[in-house]
Amino acid sequence: MRLIVVDDYNKMSEKAAIMVASQIILKPNSILGLATGDTPLGMYKELIKMYNNKEIDFSNVKSFNLDEYYGLSKNNAQSYNYYMKENLFKHINIKEENINIPDGTAKDIEAECKNYEKRIQDQGGIDLQILGIGVNGHIGFNEPDITFEAETHLVNLDEKTIESNSRFFDSIEEVPTKAISMGIKTIMHSKRIILLACGESKAEAIFKTMKGKITPKTPASILQLHNDVTVIIDKEAASKL
Ligand code: GLP
C-alpha cells in the first residue's frame, strides 16, 4: 500500500482528483468505481473544475458505484443515485447509459445483485476504484463480519454505520437498515484502488486497515493484499500509524 499523508482535506481532494484525471487521460474509456459519503465530495468538485477547464473528458468513461441503500428510490434525496447526480454527474459529460448504480428498489434484489456484478465483469472489471472508509473499517457497505462477502450482495447495516450515516437524515429512524453493496472480491478485482480518509474519527480504522491483521472484522484490511492501493489521508486520519 502506498501511503500519502497530506495536510488537509483540500490537499487530499486535489491529489485524488489528479490521480483520477490521469487515469481518464491515459485511458479515455476507463471504468471508474465511485464512492459516496462526505470524503469524496472535494475530489468530485476538483474533477468538475478540471472538466470545465477542458482538462478531462468523461464522454467515454463508464462508472459503477459501490453501493446504494435498500428501499430508497433514485429521486430520494438521501439515495446515492441522487447524491451522484447532484455532486458529479449533472456537472460533467458522462453519458447516462454509462452510469451504473445498484437499484435499491428492484423487486428481485438477488437478481439485481447478480446482474450488477455481471455488468462489472462484462466490462472487464474496474480500472480505478475510489474508496472511503467507515469508522468501523467498512468499504462500500461491506460491514465487519465473520467472513468476507465476495460479490455484490444485500447487506444488513451495522449499528455504527446507521448511527454515523444518520447525519444525512432527519432522524436515525429514517436511515435504511439494509443496502446493496459491491462485494470484497468485486472491489479487490479493481486494477487500481485509491482509499481516502480524513479526520481523527477515521484514525483507528486506518490503523487497523494498514497495520492490523487481515480480518473480515476490519473489511478494509483485505486491501493489504492488493498490489496497487494508494491511501491518501490527512494528518489526523494518519495519527495512529
Ligand atoms: C458510507 C458509504 C461508504 C463511505 C463511508 C464513509 O456508509 N457506504 O462508501 O466510504 O460511509 O463515509 P464518509 O466519507 O461520509 O465518512
Side-chain angles (χ1 to χ4, degrees):
M1 290 171 126
R2 239 183 330 268
L3 173 66
I4 303 178
V5 181
V6 293
D7 282 343
D8 55 32
Y9 180 79
N10 290 342
K11 291 260 157 48
M12 178 201 74
S13 305
E14 283 164 21
K15 274 237 175 310
I18 289 169
M19 286 184 70
V20 176
S22 44
Q23 170 70 39
I24 297 171
I25 291 165
L26 293 173
K27 187 180 179 223
N29 61 344
S30 286
I31 314 294
L32 299 183
L34 299 177
T36 52
D38 279 334
T39 311
L41 281 175
M43 179 193 76
Y44 291 144
K45 285 207 177 93
E46 288 298 320
L47 288 171
I48 294 166
K49 258 194 240 163
M50 291 180 188
Y51 166 72
N52 287 333
N53 292 337
K54 305 204 181 336
E55 291 164 41
I56 41 174
D57 171 20
F58 289 86
S59 60
N60 290 311
V61 167
K62 292 194 170 105
S63 72
F64 284 87
N65 262 77
L66 278 168
D67 45 20
E68 176 59 288
Y69 285 117
Y70 175 68
L72 297 193
S73 81
K74 276 185 182 178
N75 305 321
N76 186 308
Q78 263 72 44
S79 74
Y80 288 165
N81 268 274
Y82 191 90
Y83 168 107
M84 288 308 302
K85 192 170 96 194
E86 290 303 309
N87 295 306
L88 182 65
F89 297 150
K90 78 175 190 191
H91 306 283
I92 59 171
N93 66 337
I94 191 166
K95 291 183 185 125
E96 184 76 35
E97 66 265 29
N98 287 342
I99 296 171
N100 298 276
I101 306 182
D103 177 3
T105 60
K107 289 222 168 60
D108 185 344
I109 286 293
E110 218 172 289
E112 172 64 14
C113 293
K114 278 219 171 82
N115 177 272
Y116 197 70
E117 189 68 32
K118 185 172 181 305
R119 267 149 61 200
I120 298 173
Q121 301 321 326
D122 287 350
Q123 296 297 329
I126 285 158
D127 290 312
L128 177 61
Q129 175 68 56
I130 306 298
L131 294 176
I133 188 167
V135 287
N136 60 4
H138 77 218
I139 44 176
F141 267 135
N142 290 279
E143 298 283 32
D145 207 337
I146 45 167
T147 54
F148 287 111
E149 190 83 39
E151 300 192 335
T152 303
H153 59 292
L154 186 67
V155 188
N156 288 316
L157 297 179
D158 195 86
E159 251 173 63
K160 271 199 183 151
T161 302
I162 293 177
E163 192 187 303
S164 137
N165 288 7
S166 64
R167 66 190 192 275
F168 299 111
F169 293 80
D170 288 339
S171 71
I172 196 160
E173 288 74 32
E174 281 177 35
V175 187
T177 55
K178 291 176 198 282
I180 297 175
S181 177
M182 275 187 202
I184 290 294
K185 191 176 90 186
T186 332
I187 295 170
M188 288 295 280
H189 274 179
S190 309
K191 295 179 188 83
R192 298 168 65 211
I193 297 175
I194 299 176
L195 175 67
L196 303 175
C198 251
E200 174 70 40
S201 67
K202 300 290 172 73
E204 181 73 22
I206 287 293
F207 173 78
K208 287 185 176 163
T209 297
M210 299 192 72
K211 298 273 161 80
K213 211 168 97 188
I214 299 170
T215 164
K217 292 192 177 128
T218 308
S221 63
I222 192 96
L223 297 173
Q224 290 177 31
L225 300 177
H226 194 283
N227 65 9
D228 195 342
V229 180
T230 305
V231 179
I232 312 176
I233 54 180
D234 71 350
K235 286 180 188 150
E236 285 74 29
S239 59
K240 296 206 163 138
L241 290 176

